[in-house]
Amino acid sequence: MKLKEKQRTGAQLLIDALKEEQVEIVFGYPGGAVLPLYDCIYDSDLRHILTRHEQGAIHAAEGYARVTGKAGVVIVTSGPGATNILTGLADAMIDSLPLVVFTGQVNTNVIGSDAFQEGDLIGLTMPITKHNYQIRNVADIPQVIKEAFHIATTGRPGPVVIDLPKDMMTNGVNEVPEKIEIHLPGYQPTLEPNKHQLEKLVKALEQSERPLVAVGAGVLHAKASAALLKFVEYYQLPVVYTLHGMGAFPADHPLSLGMGGMHGTYAANMALYDCDYLMVFGARLDDRFTANLDHFAKKSKIAHIDIDPVEISKNVYADIPVVGDVGRALNYLNEIVGKHPECKEWMDLNMKRKKDHPLKYEPSDIVLKPQYVLEILNRLAAKDAIVVTDVGQHQMWAAQFFARNCPDTFVTSGGFGTMGFGIPAAIGAQFAYPDKEVYLIVGDGGFQMTLQELAIIIEHKLPIRIVLLNNYALGMVRQWQELIYKERYSHSLIPGQPDFMKIAEAYGIKGVRISDPKQIESQLKEAVAYEGPILIECIIAPKELVYPMVQAGKGIHEMEGV
Amino acid sequence: MKRIIVATLNNTAGVLNRVTGVMARRRFNIESISVGHSEKEGISRLTFIVNVENENQTEQLTKHLNKQVDVIKVLDITEDDVVERELALIKVSCNSTNRMEIFGFLDPFRAQVVDVGKDTLIIQIVGAQNKVDALIDLLKPFGIREISRTGVIASVRGTKRQEKTNKLLAY
């Protein structure tokens, strides 16, 4: 330990540590317990974005983390400020997004006394964080922050919470360690895959007749899209992707069969059903992707590569398990390339299914079809445009008709399915890439959950194109009620809605309402060309359903609406 | 099936909560749990017994526990050659007529009387779980007032562990 500077406060140490980690932006909301920290931020050049609700702050950080791969940073106060971010933490945890979240806390001497705005954040966040810390010594701050960023961004990424008792921000220390080393014997993620296992994977591939590649978000986290493309093109393998795998493999690639799962394409789901060798790259194989496990890849041998050993054989037994970084695994696979499997018949079958059963909808010149809106947007948008969605029908339509071809261009809440995610996540993505086109696809339900964040869009002149698909309903709930609950629309139809154009106006955002299918093309073209934020409200067919659909409990091959 | 799992943990605030939290969330039923300082400063050693349906479940549990940053190492030592011990204090009712009868049980179990009251005895026994269970069964007819058990602790004999346990090494 060496004397660096005279008496630094905990808050100053914290700001120094954020600079050390090269944090570009912080999303936050002040309050009593973090006043000393905010006082310090006042003097620093740390870029802090004041959201209008803590939930907005954490979803914005998630959007930022999703498109950059860097840790999103959040600061909130104690008690209610901290409990308001729990949804975002759970969302980031299941979707493996790196976050470092600072929560305020009451003074150490009153912790446990039910003090004003006290909350047990360590207890509350334990199941929904990768790790959490409470600062007990000011001098620990640099070490803890270094570890937190390391844990959040390495291995399988995830959120880390640092709970900051108020006195830990105001107390000073004379000495801080000059150099901080990370020593975490209990955290040693396996990055290097076992080569022997990868050789087995190739052997099995050579012998397979109906091979299939399933791509998940692990490929994006590992920045391995190019390596994946090389591998797939060498063997000429058909590819399906998960919702979060979107963009990891180009959706418009001839070998892509599209998204698999509950609302996946016919070709993708049938391939998952019929394959005899499934190679899974960085996917959790959750129930929305596999449907009923009794019918998922049952005729198939399975190789599963994932950085998180827990995911292997959790839901689907892996014959060839490989723990490690998907990128490193693919690089090695590209080195040891084997001979091509004989699978022409299989390829022909997949291509025929893809051609005969594309995603489809009934066109209309009376009502606006959401799929049509998204098709046009897909044509108008730049190739590397970022598409952010909320949760519900529009999310699935976006995944189907606004599919992405570049990595890190699709931002959605998949595992947790958090309504209200869209607006703040789009804000985070646009802050990360001010020059990229950001399209937010959002429904009328989710829009109203976090619309207070529109204030940030205009405050920071974020040129987000907000496409509000308004069907006057909680569409996905309505869809299930129509199909499964005998059309008993219990609380899914929204009778009273605000005038969204007036909301846009109130927030100083340009608004356009579109309802005529005959004019949509030109109206969208004009709207998209507008520079600056714009709210495009599309009044869509209220009874439109998302198809294909595998109903809950059904097998992956039992699709409706193909 | 009963599994004996041992784990080394950072001795930080709330670490036991982290471990039991994982088990509760993943619906594992803990039969006994015991934690204390290990041979290394700042490191605790935890032994617990869980009942699982199959080996896959144990594997999932050990993997989940290993993901915790404060958990350094987790091993399922059920298949190993282990020394397994538990300590129990059993307070049993007695009177002048049956006291000697109770004393008669103690020797074969290498149990000891550690307190004698007017109409109670406290008996201390150390042994594997089934041995403790057996003594408790024998004492039941006399009227058991209270049982305190430490939970099982275990250690692998000798220096070599069997290969089988850590399947993760294979991939």
Side-chain angles (χ1 to χ4, degrees), chain A residues 183 185-186, chain B residues 7-16 35-46 69-73:
Chain A
H183 176 65
Chain B
T8 42
L9 319 171
N10 283 328
N11 188 6
T12 51
V15 65
L16 196 58
V35 65
H37 294 297
S38 74
E39 72 283 2
K40 266 196 215 130
E41 206 192 314
I43 305 289
S44 300
R45 186 175 161 96
L46 173 81
V69 174
D70 280 331
V71 174
I72 296 163
K73 199 173 182 184

PDB file of all heavy atoms in Angstrom, chain A residues 183 185-186, chain B residues 7-16 35-46 69-73:
ATOM      1  N   HIS A 183      -8.354 -11.685  -7.240  1.00  0.00           N
ATOM      2  CA  HIS A 183      -8.069 -13.044  -6.779  1.00  0.00           C
ATOM      3  C   HIS A 183      -9.399 -13.647  -6.339  1.00  0.00           C
ATOM      4  O   HIS A 183      -9.891 -13.367  -5.255  1.00  0.00           O
ATOM      5  CB  HIS A 183      -7.067 -12.997  -5.620  1.00  0.00           C
ATOM      6  CG  HIS A 183      -6.799 -14.343  -5.046  1.00  0.00           C
ATOM      7  ND1 HIS A 183      -6.191 -15.338  -5.776  1.00  0.00           N
ATOM      8  CD2 HIS A 183      -7.078 -14.872  -3.830  1.00  0.00           C
ATOM      9  CE1 HIS A 183      -6.108 -16.418  -5.020  1.00  0.00           C
ATOM     10  NE2 HIS A 183      -6.640 -16.171  -3.844  1.00  0.00           N
ATOM     11  N   PRO A 185     -10.764 -17.256  -6.139  1.00  0.00           N
ATOM     12  CA  PRO A 185     -10.630 -18.709  -6.337  1.00  0.00           C
ATOM     13  C   PRO A 185     -11.964 -19.395  -6.618  1.00  0.00           C
ATOM     14  O   PRO A 185     -12.001 -20.443  -7.257  1.00  0.00           O
ATOM     15  CB  PRO A 185     -10.012 -19.187  -5.016  1.00  0.00           C
ATOM     16  CG  PRO A 185     -10.181 -18.075  -4.047  1.00  0.00           C
ATOM     17  CD  PRO A 185     -10.303 -16.814  -4.822  1.00  0.00           C
ATOM     18  N   GLY A 186     -13.061 -18.791  -6.159  1.00  0.00           N
ATOM     19  CA  GLY A 186     -14.369 -19.411  -6.382  1.00  0.00           C
ATOM     20  C   GLY A 186     -14.998 -19.009  -7.695  1.00  0.00           C
ATOM     21  O   GLY A 186     -16.113 -19.410  -8.010  1.00  0.00           O
TER      22      GLY A 186
ATOM     23  N   ALA B   7     -18.399 -28.806   0.625  1.00  0.00           N
ATOM     24  CA  ALA B   7     -18.048 -27.592  -0.114  1.00  0.00           C
ATOM     25  C   ALA B   7     -17.141 -26.734   0.731  1.00  0.00           C
ATOM     26  O   ALA B   7     -17.273 -26.680   1.959  1.00  0.00           O
ATOM     27  CB  ALA B   7     -19.311 -26.827  -0.470  1.00  0.00           C
ATOM     28  N   THR B   8     -16.200 -26.058   0.054  1.00  0.00           N
ATOM     29  CA  THR B   8     -15.404 -25.051   0.765  1.00  0.00           C
ATOM     30  C   THR B   8     -15.917 -23.681   0.336  1.00  0.00           C
ATOM     31  O   THR B   8     -16.209 -23.450  -0.842  1.00  0.00           O
ATOM     32  CB  THR B   8     -13.907 -25.176   0.448  1.00  0.00           C
ATOM     33  OG1 THR B   8     -13.752 -25.427  -0.945  1.00  0.00           O
ATOM     34  CG2 THR B   8     -13.273 -26.295   1.227  1.00  0.00           C
ATOM     35  N   LEU B   9     -16.031 -22.787   1.316  1.00  0.00           N
ATOM     36  CA  LEU B   9     -16.654 -21.487   1.073  1.00  0.00           C
ATOM     37  C   LEU B   9     -15.770 -20.375   1.612  1.00  0.00           C
ATOM     38  O   LEU B   9     -15.066 -20.575   2.600  1.00  0.00           O
ATOM     39  CB  LEU B   9     -17.992 -21.393   1.828  1.00  0.00           C
ATOM     40  CG  LEU B   9     -18.921 -22.599   1.870  1.00  0.00           C
ATOM     41  CD1 LEU B   9     -20.040 -22.324   2.857  1.00  0.00           C
ATOM     42  CD2 LEU B   9     -19.491 -22.839   0.488  1.00  0.00           C
ATOM     43  N   ASN B  10     -15.858 -19.214   0.975  1.00  0.00           N
ATOM     44  CA  ASN B  10     -15.269 -18.026   1.594  1.00  0.00           C
ATOM     45  C   ASN B  10     -16.073 -17.710   2.835  1.00  0.00           C
ATOM     46  O   ASN B  10     -17.299 -17.688   2.776  1.00  0.00           O
ATOM     47  CB  ASN B  10     -15.362 -16.829   0.646  1.00  0.00           C
ATOM     48  CG  ASN B  10     -14.320 -16.883  -0.443  1.00  0.00           C
ATOM     49  OD1 ASN B  10     -13.227 -17.393  -0.247  1.00  0.00           O
ATOM     50  ND2 ASN B  10     -14.674 -16.357  -1.596  1.00  0.00           N
ATOM     51  N   ASN B  11     -15.391 -17.444   3.909  1.00  0.00           N
ATOM     52  CA  ASN B  11     -16.121 -17.152   5.145  1.00  0.00           C
ATOM     53  C   ASN B  11     -16.564 -15.691   5.151  1.00  0.00           C
ATOM     54  O   ASN B  11     -16.063 -14.868   5.897  1.00  0.00           O
ATOM     55  CB  ASN B  11     -15.218 -17.476   6.344  1.00  0.00           C
ATOM     56  CG  ASN B  11     -15.970 -17.372   7.645  1.00  0.00           C
ATOM     57  OD1 ASN B  11     -17.180 -17.173   7.647  1.00  0.00           O
ATOM     58  ND2 ASN B  11     -15.255 -17.484   8.742  1.00  0.00           N
ATOM     59  N   THR B  12     -17.505 -15.350   4.265  1.00  0.00           N
ATOM     60  CA  THR B  12     -17.997 -13.975   4.186  1.00  0.00           C
ATOM     61  C   THR B  12     -19.412 -13.915   4.757  1.00  0.00           C
ATOM     62  O   THR B  12     -20.068 -14.940   4.903  1.00  0.00           O
ATOM     63  CB  THR B  12     -18.055 -13.494   2.731  1.00  0.00           C
ATOM     64  OG1 THR B  12     -18.762 -14.463   1.962  1.00  0.00           O
ATOM     65  CG2 THR B  12     -16.673 -13.304   2.151  1.00  0.00           C
ATOM     66  N   ALA B  13     -19.867 -12.688   5.041  1.00  0.00           N
ATOM     67  CA  ALA B  13     -21.199 -12.519   5.621  1.00  0.00           C
ATOM     68  C   ALA B  13     -22.244 -13.056   4.648  1.00  0.00           C
ATOM     69  O   ALA B  13     -22.221 -12.738   3.466  1.00  0.00           O
ATOM     70  CB  ALA B  13     -21.447 -11.046   5.904  1.00  0.00           C
ATOM     71  N   GLY B  14     -23.123 -13.875   5.150  1.00  0.00           N
ATOM     72  CA  GLY B  14     -24.239 -14.348   4.340  1.00  0.00           C
ATOM     73  C   GLY B  14     -23.919 -15.488   3.396  1.00  0.00           C
ATOM     74  O   GLY B  14     -24.738 -15.852   2.555  1.00  0.00           O
ATOM     75  N   VAL B  15     -22.748 -16.080   3.509  1.00  0.00           N
ATOM     76  CA  VAL B  15     -22.377 -17.122   2.540  1.00  0.00           C
ATOM     77  C   VAL B  15     -23.265 -18.361   2.673  1.00  0.00           C
ATOM     78  O   VAL B  15     -23.651 -18.979   1.672  1.00  0.00           O
ATOM     79  CB  VAL B  15     -20.871 -17.469   2.631  1.00  0.00           C
ATOM     80  CG1 VAL B  15     -20.524 -18.098   3.955  1.00  0.00           C
ATOM     81  CG2 VAL B  15     -20.454 -18.361   1.481  1.00  0.00           C
ATOM     82  N   LEU B  16     -23.644 -18.668   3.906  1.00  0.00           N
ATOM     83  CA  LEU B  16     -24.498 -19.847   4.109  1.00  0.00           C
ATOM     84  C   LEU B  16     -25.860 -19.616   3.447  1.00  0.00           C
ATOM     85  O   LEU B  16     -26.462 -20.514   2.863  1.00  0.00           O
ATOM     86  CB  LEU B  16     -24.661 -20.105   5.612  1.00  0.00           C
ATOM     87  CG  LEU B  16     -25.191 -21.482   5.989  1.00  0.00           C
ATOM     88  CD1 LEU B  16     -24.308 -22.584   5.443  1.00  0.00           C
ATOM     89  CD2 LEU B  16     -25.303 -21.610   7.498  1.00  0.00           C
ATOM     90  N   VAL B  35     -21.636 -26.569   9.189  1.00  0.00           N
ATOM     91  CA  VAL B  35     -20.593 -25.693   8.663  1.00  0.00           C
ATOM     92  C   VAL B  35     -19.683 -25.223   9.784  1.00  0.00           C
ATOM     93  O   VAL B  35     -20.120 -25.063  10.922  1.00  0.00           O
ATOM     94  CB  VAL B  35     -21.225 -24.502   7.902  1.00  0.00           C
ATOM     95  CG1 VAL B  35     -22.018 -23.610   8.823  1.00  0.00           C
ATOM     96  CG2 VAL B  35     -20.184 -23.689   7.143  1.00  0.00           C
ATOM     97  N   GLY B  36     -18.419 -25.066   9.465  1.00  0.00           N
ATOM     98  CA  GLY B  36     -17.465 -24.582  10.460  1.00  0.00           C
ATOM     99  C   GLY B  36     -16.174 -24.158   9.787  1.00  0.00           C
ATOM    100  O   GLY B  36     -16.046 -24.276   8.561  1.00  0.00           O
ATOM    101  N   HIS B  37     -15.233 -23.672  10.574  1.00  0.00           N
ATOM    102  CA  HIS B  37     -13.945 -23.248  10.011  1.00  0.00           C
ATOM    103  C   HIS B  37     -13.198 -24.432   9.428  1.00  0.00           C
ATOM    104  O   HIS B  37     -13.328 -25.547   9.909  1.00  0.00           O
ATOM    105  CB  HIS B  37     -13.074 -22.605  11.090  1.00  0.00           C
ATOM    106  CG  HIS B  37     -13.645 -21.320  11.600  1.00  0.00           C
ATOM    107  ND1 HIS B  37     -13.816 -20.233  10.787  1.00  0.00           N
ATOM    108  CD2 HIS B  37     -14.110 -20.966  12.811  1.00  0.00           C
ATOM    109  CE1 HIS B  37     -14.358 -19.249  11.500  1.00  0.00           C
ATOM    110  NE2 HIS B  37     -14.558 -19.667  12.726  1.00  0.00           N
ATOM    111  N   SER B  38     -12.427 -24.180   8.397  1.00  0.00           N
ATOM    112  CA  SER B  38     -11.615 -25.251   7.820  1.00  0.00           C
ATOM    113  C   SER B  38     -10.171 -25.062   8.257  1.00  0.00           C
ATOM    114  O   SER B  38      -9.875 -24.244   9.128  1.00  0.00           O
ATOM    115  CB  SER B  38     -11.697 -25.201   6.302  1.00  0.00           C
ATOM    116  OG  SER B  38     -10.925 -24.116   5.830  1.00  0.00           O
ATOM    117  N   GLU B  39      -9.268 -25.803   7.637  1.00  0.00           N
ATOM    118  CA  GLU B  39      -7.846 -25.702   8.013  1.00  0.00           C
ATOM    119  C   GLU B  39      -7.236 -24.384   7.526  1.00  0.00           C
ATOM    120  O   GLU B  39      -6.189 -23.979   7.978  1.00  0.00           O
ATOM    121  CB  GLU B  39      -7.071 -26.916   7.466  1.00  0.00           C
ATOM    122  CG  GLU B  39      -6.847 -26.945   5.949  1.00  0.00           C
ATOM    123  CD  GLU B  39      -8.073 -27.367   5.150  1.00  0.00           C
ATOM    124  OE1 GLU B  39      -9.143 -27.606   5.748  1.00  0.00           O
ATOM    125  OE2 GLU B  39      -7.968 -27.448   3.918  1.00  0.00           O
ATOM    126  N   LYS B  40      -7.945 -23.722   6.568  1.00  0.00           N
ATOM    127  CA  LYS B  40      -7.401 -22.456   6.036  1.00  0.00           C
ATOM    128  C   LYS B  40      -8.156 -21.275   6.633  1.00  0.00           C
ATOM    129  O   LYS B  40      -9.375 -21.303   6.743  1.00  0.00           O
ATOM    130  CB  LYS B  40      -7.566 -22.434   4.518  1.00  0.00           C
ATOM    131  CG  LYS B  40      -6.354 -22.930   3.789  1.00  0.00           C
ATOM    132  CD  LYS B  40      -6.441 -22.508   2.318  1.00  0.00           C
ATOM    133  CE  LYS B  40      -5.853 -23.578   1.432  1.00  0.00           C
ATOM    134  NZ  LYS B  40      -6.680 -23.977   0.332  1.00  0.00           N
ATOM    135  N   GLU B  41      -7.431 -20.227   6.927  1.00  0.00           N
ATOM    136  CA  GLU B  41      -8.068 -19.049   7.495  1.00  0.00           C
ATOM    137  C   GLU B  41      -8.987 -18.403   6.463  1.00  0.00           C
ATOM    138  O   GLU B  41      -8.632 -18.272   5.286  1.00  0.00           O
ATOM    139  CB  GLU B  41      -7.001 -18.053   7.941  1.00  0.00           C
ATOM    140  CG  GLU B  41      -7.485 -17.164   9.057  1.00  0.00           C
ATOM    141  CD  GLU B  41      -6.554 -15.994   9.292  1.00  0.00           C
ATOM    142  OE1 GLU B  41      -5.341 -16.223   9.350  1.00  0.00           O
ATOM    143  OE2 GLU B  41      -7.080 -14.868   9.399  1.00  0.00           O
ATOM    144  N   GLY B  42     -10.172 -18.038   6.900  1.00  0.00           N
ATOM    145  CA  GLY B  42     -11.102 -17.364   5.991  1.00  0.00           C
ATOM    146  C   GLY B  42     -11.898 -18.313   5.114  1.00  0.00           C
ATOM    147  O   GLY B  42     -12.696 -17.890   4.287  1.00  0.00           O
ATOM    148  N   ILE B  43     -11.646 -19.609   5.267  1.00  0.00           N
ATOM    149  CA  ILE B  43     -12.361 -20.600   4.457  1.00  0.00           C
ATOM    150  C   ILE B  43     -13.170 -21.503   5.392  1.00  0.00           C
ATOM    151  O   ILE B  43     -12.641 -22.029   6.363  1.00  0.00           O
ATOM    152  CB  ILE B  43     -11.375 -21.482   3.651  1.00  0.00           C
ATOM    153  CG1 ILE B  43     -10.436 -20.628   2.788  1.00  0.00           C
ATOM    154  CG2 ILE B  43     -12.129 -22.511   2.809  1.00  0.00           C
ATOM    155  CD1 ILE B  43     -11.074 -19.947   1.615  1.00  0.00           C
ATOM    156  N   SER B  44     -14.431 -21.661   5.075  1.00  0.00           N
ATOM    157  CA  SER B  44     -15.277 -22.567   5.863  1.00  0.00           C
ATOM    158  C   SER B  44     -15.520 -23.848   5.075  1.00  0.00           C
ATOM    159  O   SER B  44     -15.459 -23.850   3.855  1.00  0.00           O
ATOM    160  CB  SER B  44     -16.636 -21.924   6.137  1.00  0.00           C
ATOM    161  OG  SER B  44     -16.476 -20.744   6.847  1.00  0.00           O
ATOM    162  N   ARG B  45     -15.797 -24.885   5.829  1.00  0.00           N
ATOM    163  CA  ARG B  45     -16.122 -26.150   5.173  1.00  0.00           C
ATOM    164  C   ARG B  45     -17.535 -26.549   5.552  1.00  0.00           C
ATOM    165  O   ARG B  45     -17.936 -26.491   6.715  1.00  0.00           O
ATOM    166  CB  ARG B  45     -15.138 -27.226   5.615  1.00  0.00           C
ATOM    167  CG  ARG B  45     -15.321 -28.543   4.878  1.00  0.00           C
ATOM    168  CD  ARG B  45     -14.205 -29.481   5.321  1.00  0.00           C
ATOM    169  NE  ARG B  45     -14.532 -30.864   5.028  1.00  0.00           N
ATOM    170  CZ  ARG B  45     -14.112 -31.486   3.918  1.00  0.00           C
ATOM    171  NH1 ARG B  45     -13.382 -30.855   3.035  1.00  0.00           N
ATOM    172  NH2 ARG B  45     -14.425 -32.758   3.721  1.00  0.00           N
ATOM    173  N   LEU B  46     -18.276 -26.920   4.535  1.00  0.00           N
ATOM    174  CA  LEU B  46     -19.680 -27.229   4.711  1.00  0.00           C
ATOM    175  C   LEU B  46     -19.911 -28.679   4.293  1.00  0.00           C
ATOM    176  O   LEU B  46     -19.394 -29.122   3.272  1.00  0.00           O
ATOM    177  CB  LEU B  46     -20.482 -26.291   3.798  1.00  0.00           C
ATOM    178  CG  LEU B  46     -21.977 -26.473   3.647  1.00  0.00           C
ATOM    179  CD1 LEU B  46     -22.676 -25.836   4.832  1.00  0.00           C
ATOM    180  CD2 LEU B  46     -22.456 -25.803   2.377  1.00  0.00           C
ATOM    181  N   VAL B  69     -19.894 -17.264  -6.482  1.00  0.00           N
ATOM    182  CA  VAL B  69     -18.533 -16.729  -6.402  1.00  0.00           C
ATOM    183  C   VAL B  69     -17.874 -17.084  -5.067  1.00  0.00           C
ATOM    184  O   VAL B  69     -16.673 -17.340  -5.007  1.00  0.00           O
ATOM    185  CB  VAL B  69     -18.550 -15.201  -6.627  1.00  0.00           C
ATOM    186  CG1 VAL B  69     -17.180 -14.594  -6.413  1.00  0.00           C
ATOM    187  CG2 VAL B  69     -19.066 -14.892  -8.032  1.00  0.00           C
ATOM    188  N   ASP B  70     -18.655 -17.125  -4.001  1.00  0.00           N
ATOM    189  CA  ASP B  70     -18.081 -17.423  -2.687  1.00  0.00           C
ATOM    190  C   ASP B  70     -17.952 -18.922  -2.406  1.00  0.00           C
ATOM    191  O   ASP B  70     -17.496 -19.312  -1.329  1.00  0.00           O
ATOM    192  CB  ASP B  70     -18.915 -16.758  -1.576  1.00  0.00           C
ATOM    193  CG  ASP B  70     -18.559 -15.287  -1.437  1.00  0.00           C
ATOM    194  OD1 ASP B  70     -17.404 -14.933  -1.737  1.00  0.00           O
ATOM    195  OD2 ASP B  70     -19.429 -14.493  -1.035  1.00  0.00           O
ATOM    196  N   VAL B  71     -18.364 -19.736  -3.340  1.00  0.00           N
ATOM    197  CA  VAL B  71     -18.179 -21.177  -3.194  1.00  0.00           C
ATOM    198  C   VAL B  71     -16.930 -21.561  -3.976  1.00  0.00           C
ATOM    199  O   VAL B  71     -16.849 -21.333  -5.185  1.00  0.00           O
ATOM    200  CB  VAL B  71     -19.401 -21.960  -3.711  1.00  0.00           C
ATOM    201  CG1 VAL B  71     -19.122 -23.456  -3.685  1.00  0.00           C
ATOM    202  CG2 VAL B  71     -20.627 -21.632  -2.878  1.00  0.00           C
ATOM    203  N   ILE B  72     -15.957 -22.108  -3.287  1.00  0.00           N
ATOM    204  CA  ILE B  72     -14.682 -22.366  -3.953  1.00  0.00           C
ATOM    205  C   ILE B  72     -14.667 -23.731  -4.619  1.00  0.00           C
ATOM    206  O   ILE B  72     -14.234 -23.876  -5.750  1.00  0.00           O
ATOM    207  CB  ILE B  72     -13.522 -22.220  -2.943  1.00  0.00           C
ATOM    208  CG1 ILE B  72     -13.493 -20.755  -2.479  1.00  0.00           C
ATOM    209  CG2 ILE B  72     -12.187 -22.593  -3.569  1.00  0.00           C
ATOM    210  CD1 ILE B  72     -12.709 -20.524  -1.231  1.00  0.00           C
ATOM    211  N   LYS B  73     -15.170 -24.732  -3.927  1.00  0.00           N
ATOM    212  CA  LYS B  73     -15.136 -26.072  -4.498  1.00  0.00           C
ATOM    213  C   LYS B  73     -16.286 -26.892  -3.931  1.00  0.00           C
ATOM    214  O   LYS B  73     -16.582 -26.798  -2.740  1.00  0.00           O
ATOM    215  CB  LYS B  73     -13.794 -26.722  -4.143  1.00  0.00           C
ATOM    216  CG  LYS B  73     -13.439 -27.883  -5.026  1.00  0.00           C
ATOM    217  CD  LYS B  73     -12.028 -28.349  -4.726  1.00  0.00           C
ATOM    218  CE  LYS B  73     -11.661 -29.493  -5.662  1.00  0.00           C
ATOM    219  NZ  LYS B  73     -10.348 -30.037  -5.344  1.00  0.00           N
TER     220      LYS B  73
END
